[in-house]
Amino acid sequence: MFKKFASAPRVRHLIYASLLLLAACGGSDAPGPDANLTDKQLLGKTLYFDSNLSDPKGMSCGSCHVPELGHSGTNGGSNGVSLGHLGVETSRNSISTGYAGLVPPFSFLRTGTAPNTRIVARGGFRWDGGGKATLADQSVAALKKATLQNMSDEAALLARITASSYSGLFQSVYGAAALSEQANVLARVGESLAAFQVSPQGQPFTSKFDAVIQGKASYTEPEARGLALFTGKAKCSGCHAFNKDSSNPADSMFGDNEYRAIGVPRNKALAANADPAFFDLGICGPDRPKPVIPAEFAAETSIETFCGKFRTVSLRNVAKRPTYMHNGVFRSLEEVVMFYTTRSTNPQRWYGPAGVWDDVPAQYLANRSSGGVFAGKLGDPDLLTALEVNDLVAFMGALSDGYVAAR
Ligand code: HEC
Ligand code: HEC
């Protein structure tokens, strides 16, 4: 299915080109499916789905970040994370690239109002914030990375673009000489890939939620109850924040990009986790170097308080994703909500007989999020009833792009 999908945009590009031709001849003036893209965005889209841009050939950005799957996916992997170069398991779930252009840069900052302020980490690409500074560079990194597309050779990259069906588009965006300007090829590919990701196809804001805040639709009863739970009893919006008073969709990303340890259970199927001493500590590595706390905050906090924390991602299009959390351990939104509602009241359900968090070492247990949805005590009734779990799931479904109002 992934292979078939990867080739589809080229076909779309051809269709679009022929439609333009037809239109020029007076045959049709129907807009092509990519009519809302600029040339650079269309080039970026074509590069995004070109599975010739990997070594060996066969993998594209679209293999792991499938738009129909909420810009995520496992590329055929069955353990919850993507398969990468030569079918080898990558270390993390393919985080969504939808709306990635709206993720702020990584930083430590002070939040709250005096005297109750605290230092938090926010933003940055990847689950651990250790990504590159710009979307273009993050995209190039994926292309070059040996465990992903393994395409770091600029000469080979340029040769593949030159031999492609879209070499003319590349020239029309970057000039007639572009096919001989090897030194610029990576930067140009990165810029185009980023342009596509921030285009109306990467950040469409066409969910039912967006229609409702603009007065164009109304929720079903389960969705409305789910929204009330999301902000009320379940307190999801404390972290998956949105602005209920704004009619501007971009004010409501449903993820504040702050780093937290919510106690996601260990995914025992992952190859790296076969070693009981291995822990993915998010901000503290080992996939990234431990960042240094800025001098102005150093007296107040230490980097150790950030170990085990991962980014609070946007829930837009979350219902389309096949697996959830940085390690892909959950397979459905029902399971995710059950986790939130029973983590504190019935920890054995998630962590085995000991009932103790199994994916952070003991010295970092204190870094966990508590309170709110996690406020229950051992043995308390679950926070949410089965009906309420379904309602929350229904509301999250209203965050999927492509909503078409019923007539
Ligand atoms: C083999 C699977 C795979 C391929 C191919 C792949 N990615 Fe990714 N991508 C991932 C994974 C996994 C992550 C999360 C990495 C982490 O957190 O350590 C990621 C993260 C990202 C992010 C960060 C988004 C965010 O919000 O933090 C961007 C942007 C991205 N990829 C873009 C691309 C682009 C563009 C391409 C094609 C050039 C690409 N990826 C190819 C698996 C893949
Ligand atoms: C204390 C902050 C916090 C609260 C409260 C919270 N979340 Fe999360 N959520 C996170 C973080 C952090 C992650 C990423 C964790 C990871 O991968 O380790 C996450 C991840 C998720 C994901 C997976 C997203 C993906 O793309 O894989 C879903 C779904 C989700 N949360 C739904 C909810 C719902 C529903 C609620 C309310 C019942 C909720 N969250 C409450 C912080 C929070």
Side-chain angles (χ1 to χ4, degrees):
M1 136 182 211
F2 292 102
K3 277 218 170 75
K4 209 158 105 203
F5 183 75
S7 63
R10 282 224 214 165
V11 176
R12 274 206 287 274
H13 176 46
L14 284 178
I15 295 172
Y16 181 40
S18 17
L19 275 175
L20 281 180
L21 206 67
L22 274 174
C25 309
S28 158
D29 56 5
D34 290 329
N36 61 348
L37 300 185
T38 65
D39 274 3
K40 190 181 286 176
Q41 290 168 345
L42 182 62
L43 172 64
K45 177 174 182 175
T46 314
L47 293 163
Y48 192 93
F49 294 107
D50 186 355
S51 53
N52 284 328
L53 302 186
S54 62
D55 186 16
K57 292 180 181 178
M59 202 195 302
S60 71
C61 316
S63 305
C64 299
H65 302 288
V66 188
E68 285 78 353
L69 302 179
H71 304 273
S72 164
T74 64
N75 193 21
S78 53
N79 290 342
V81 301
S82 279
L83 299 184
H85 183 60
L86 301 178
V88 176
E89 193 175 283
T90 58
S91 57
R92 299 237 177 91
N93 191 358
S94 299
I95 197 167
S96 170
T97 50
Y99 301 97
L102 299 171
V103 175
F106 183 82
S107 70
F108 288 99
L109 66 155
R110 184 182 299 283
T111 58
T113 37
N116 297 316
T117 65
R118 63 205 162 89
I119 310 303
V120 300
R122 181 186 292 164
F125 292 122
R126 312 199 328 182
W127 291 100
D128 57 17
K132 304 288 178 198
T134 67
L135 187 54
D137 286 350
Q138 184 62 34
S139 301
V140 167
L143 194 70
K144 290 168 69 177
K145 200 169 178 174
T147 53
L148 301 180
Q149 285 169 249
N150 192 34
M151 197 73 202
S152 54
D153 181 340
E154 294 170 18
L157 178 61
L158 191 61
R160 299 217 183 150
I161 293 172
T162 305
S164 74
S165 61
Y166 55 86
S167 57
L169 181 59
F170 191 73
Q171 283 175 303
S172 68
V173 173
Y174 288 113
L179 295 176
S180 57
E181 293 169 349
Q182 190 179 310
N184 296 328
V185 69
L186 276 172
R188 286 171 173 170
V189 165
E191 183 187 63
S192 308
L193 286 169
F196 167 58
Q197 290 169 83
V198 304
S199 77
Q201 293 187 19
Q203 308 185 162
F205 292 113
T206 56
S207 70
K208 183 166 188 182
F209 170 83
D210 300 314
V212 171
I213 61 173
Q214 291 165 13
K216 296 176 190 155
S218 48
Y219 293 126
T220 62
E221 282 179 23
E223 288 165 350
R225 289 194 303 260
L227 170 58
L229 290 163
F230 194 88
T231 52
K233 190 162 145 190
K235 297 194 178 68
C236 312
S237 56
C239 303
H240 298 283
F242 70 104
N243 184 341
K244 65 178 178 30
D245 300 320
S246 173
S247 58
N248 175 8
D251 289 338
S252 293
M253 294 314 298
F254 295 90
D256 64 7
N257 291 302
E258 282 182 22
Y259 287 78
R260 299 180 174 96
I262 58 168
V264 172
R266 192 171 177 86
N267 183 347
K268 297 195 177 73
L270 298 188
N273 284 345
D275 174 2
F278 174 84
F279 291 98
D280 183 347
L281 294 177
I283 287 196
C284 290
D287 271 3
R288 62 163 295 173
K290 259 190 198 182
V292 175
I293 302 280
E296 53 183 316
F297 303 139
E300 243 174 290
T301 189
S302 105
I303 190 63
E304 301 303 306
T305 65
F306 290 91
C307 295
K309 296 191 175 179
F310 293 87
R311 202 175 94 211
T312 309
V313 292
S314 170
L315 298 184
R316 283 182 175 272
N317 291 311
V318 76
K320 299 179 183 177
R321 282 170 221 158
T323 68
Y324 297 104
M325 306 297 176
H326 69 276
N327 60 6
V329 72
F330 295 135
R331 304 300 170 109
S332 71
L333 285 180
E334 285 78 5
E335 198 181 7
V336 171
V337 178
M338 282 313 295
F339 164 73
Y340 278 107
T341 167
T342 63
R343 186 200 89 177
S344 304
T345 53
N346 183 7
Q348 280 81 5
R349 176 172 180 162
W350 307 103
Y351 309 120
V356 178
W357 285 28
D358 62 355
D359 212 24
V360 275
Q363 74 264 37
Y364 296 130
L365 282 176
N367 292 348
R368 65 178 178 258
S369 299
S370 50
V373 67
F374 302 128
K377 305 252 175 333
L378 204 62
D380 279 356
D382 297 349
L383 180 72
L384 304 174
T385 65
L387 177 70
E388 289 172 327
V389 170
N390 289 342
D391 290 344
L392 266 175
V393 171
F395 173 65
M396 285 189 272
L399 303 179
S400 289
D401 286 315
Y403 171 71
V404 182
R407 281 164 203 274

